[in-house]
Amino acid sequence: MNKVLVVCAALFVAGCGAQSEERILAWHSLIVVEKSGDLLVTETIKVRAAGRAIKRGIFRNLPLLFDAESKPPTKDLDQALKKPIGVVSVKRDGEREHYGVENHGDGITVRIGRREVFLKPGIYTYEITYRTGRQLSHDEGRDAVYWNVNGTGWSFPIDEVSATVTLPAGIKGTKIRGYTGKLNEKGEDYRAELTATGATIATTRPFDPKENLSLVLEWPPGLLDAAAYGK
């Protein structure tokens, strides 16, 4: 009987620890490609806060593109100029939330929450919407968007990551692929499919801290507005 009680107690403690662990429970990005070539991105991030790292809210690092002098063009990323990222809105649990934006050399940090307001332990859903441009690749025979969905900077495990890419009306994707893992890794722990309006992609396993899902969606070239091609 004592052994049974000890085992039950151990399981109870382990369960409590799992329930109080700070983590990202779900991440979904809606990436809308506009005819202008700009992207309108909405990230829905569901987190479990326990008052340790997540005290007042979360912060999101959004990198700018490297210019051609600092990073030579690659097959999947050939833009030469940077364009600022503009935050459109930030919400917590469906309500507008306070945030601040800090600019630094390689991007911006969106800090969500008020310094004087501490969150109670629990589950919260954040929604960050922003607009960015010059993120598309224009190669001979195709246009493409290459996107790091959640980035490699998170110190929390992430249970699931997914994304939906929506292309302008009349444009259909021709190929979707992805990568998973830490920086420069090219794992294949995802499932993806083309849709009538673009594509979807989702991870097939939980992520450890600093793991990311990247996607590449291709479509026929020359179908966007002239401004998307720098004309």
Side-chain angles (χ1 to χ4, degrees), residues 136-154:
L136 302 181
S137 175
H138 308 296
D139 295 336
E140 184 176 354
R142 67 150 199 184
D143 285 350
V145 56
Y146 185 117
W147 195 251
N148 294 322
V149 177
N150 59 290
T152 57
W154 293 95

Side-chain angles (χ1 to χ4, degrees), residues 3 17 23 85-86 96 105 110 119 151 172 188 200-201 206 211 213 215 222 228:
K3 290 183 178 180
R23 64 191 303 115
I85 296 172
R96 293 180 61 183
V110 184
L119 299 175
K172 290 189 176 182
E188 298 180 352
T200 61
I201 189 169
E211 288 193 302
L213 170 67
L215 67 86

Side-chain angles (χ1 to χ4, degrees), residues 76 146 177-181 185-187 190 212-216:
D76 291 311
Y146 185 117
R177 67 183 187 277
Y179 307 109
T180 59
E185 292 182 347
K186 294 188 176 182
Y190 70 90
N212 170 66
L213 170 67
S214 298
L215 67 86
V216 185

Side-chain angles (χ1 to χ4, degrees), residues 184-196:
N184 297 323
E185 292 182 347
K186 294 188 176 182
E188 298 180 352
D189 301 303
Y190 70 90
R191 61 180 182 275
E193 63 178 352
L194 295 173
T195 66

